[in-house]
Amino acid sequence: VSPSPKNHTEFLNQAIQKLLEKNKLTANQIQKVHVSTGPGSFTGIRVGIALAKTLSFAIQAPIYSVNTLHLISQSANEYFNFQEGDLVLTVLNAQKNMVFWAVYQTQEKASQSPLFTKEMIEISPPQCCLIENLSDVLKTLPAFQDFINATSTIPVYEEPLEKIISKPASDILEKSSAPNTTINKKTVENKNLFVCGDGLSLVIDNLQKNNIPFSGLSSPAIHPNSFVLSQISRQWAKNSQPIDWKMLHPLYIRESEAEENLKNRQKNG
């Protein structure tokens, strides 16, 4: 992890070189490049994509990409071991009272990967909306019809990473660390709706006011994870073609603040 988030460009090349040296490898021995395309920090995404494209071109390695919301949902599944059919709403803070979000559903895999036996199937692709409009948009999705107007408690699971990785997933799902609260495993017709991502705290009130029952998962363990990224990409590589490095683009979804400011100046100029 970079000690200075604003200096990714300077940090990444050195980090890659050290990683190769530690494993006694050279850059030419890299067989595939895996990258997360966003949404997220505009600068961070741009730097990561640029590095992936440069590396792919330089060593002629294929690129496989995964969007950040999918990556977080699968990382959450790694720690919480969702049940077949569970829905996962992943939300990220998009600033300006907005969130990036997507919906996934767990599905048993026909063949097990080294990391997980369930994979996250995309129900609704990554998009952006005002926080106040999130529930209205979700209610238009067929997968959410069972949850509309249902009632439930709103437990939020929070626990330090070092405690999470030392516990079996069954224990994590059964209880949260907050007093007198439990994860509601049987919300509606044996289905669960979990919400995760750094936008969780922003959307709790909106979901609660609109009677959408869910279990919030807040943990340092749920973040874009490079190991999970590689496992998802390796699985996809079995059934899909890599991306041409020239065709790889960041998933911005909305305009950056600089682009918005430029449009406003042009409009008012």
Side-chain angles (χ1 to χ4, degrees), residues 39-230:
S41 162
F42 289 93
T43 300
I45 295 170
R46 186 165 59 248
V47 170
I49 293 291
L51 177 62
K53 294 173 72 168
T54 300
L55 188 59
S56 174
F57 173 76
I59 64 176
Q60 296 299 296
I63 294 180
Y64 294 90
S65 66
V66 179
N67 77 68
T68 305
L69 294 166
H70 190 157
L71 181 54
I72 292 174
S73 72
Q74 189 69 70
S75 295
N77 179 57
E78 158 68 0
Y79 285 98
F80 293 98
N81 190 25
F82 301 134
Q83 301 176 50
E84 170 82 5
D86 284 346
L87 292 178
V88 180
L89 169 63
T90 306
V91 285
L92 294 177
N93 187 355
Q95 307 299 325
K96 298 185 176 181
N97 295 316
M98 304 180 78
V99 288
F100 299 119
W101 65 275
V103 180
Y104 301 90
Q105 188 166 32
T106 55
Q107 176 177 296
E108 295 287 347
K109 291 172 60 65
S111 60
Q112 296 185 4
S113 77
L115 181 60
F116 38 75
T117 59
K118 300 186 186 74
E119 60 183 335
M120 311 309 294
I121 304 302
E122 185 178 273
I123 299 298
S124 182
Q127 48 198 292
C128 184
C129 73
L130 290 169
I131 295 171
E132 63 187 36
N133 294 336
L134 179 60
S135 289
D136 290 336
V137 177
L138 292 176
K139 288 180 179 181
T140 66
L141 303 177
F144 269 78
Q145 297 307 306
D146 287 341
F147 296 91
I148 295 175
N149 296 322
T151 59
S152 173
T153 56
I154 313 293
V156 175
Y157 177 83
E158 296 187 23
E159 193 155 20
L161 176 59
E162 60 271 16
K163 291 186 179 180
I164 287 177
I165 60 178
S166 65
K167 286 186 174 183
S170 57
D171 288 352
I172 294 173
L173 272 174
E174 290 294 343
K175 294 183 179 181
S176 75
S177 58
N180 303 317
T181 62
T182 59
I183 295 296
N184 184 0
K185 296 181 65 177
K186 304 294 183 183
T187 305
V188 177
E189 297 182 357
N190 297 324
K191 293 182 180 179
N192 306 295
L193 170 61
F194 295 104
V195 183
C196 61
D198 69 14
L200 169 62
S201 61
L202 301 175
V203 303
I204 286 178
D205 286 346
N206 179 263
L207 296 176
Q208 186 174 11
K209 289 176 181 178
N210 286 275
N211 297 318
I212 297 180
F214 68 96
S215 295
L217 304 177
S218 176
S219 164
I222 306 176
H223 64 279
N225 183 304
S226 60
F227 185 49
V228 178
L229 168 63
S230 68

Side-chain angles (χ1 to χ4, degrees), residues 96 257-269:
K96 298 185 176 181
E257 184 172 356
E259 291 172 322
E260 291 176 351
N261 290 339
L262 176 60
K263 280 191 173 182
N264 289 333
R265 287 197 297 270
Q266 292 173 339
K267 181 178 179 180
N268 299 327

Side-chain angles (χ1 to χ4, degrees), residues 29-45:
Q29 290 177 283
I30 296 175
Q31 298 177 335
K32 296 183 181 72
V33 178
H34 305 287
V35 64
S36 176
T37 55
S41 162
F42 289 93
T43 300
I45 295 170

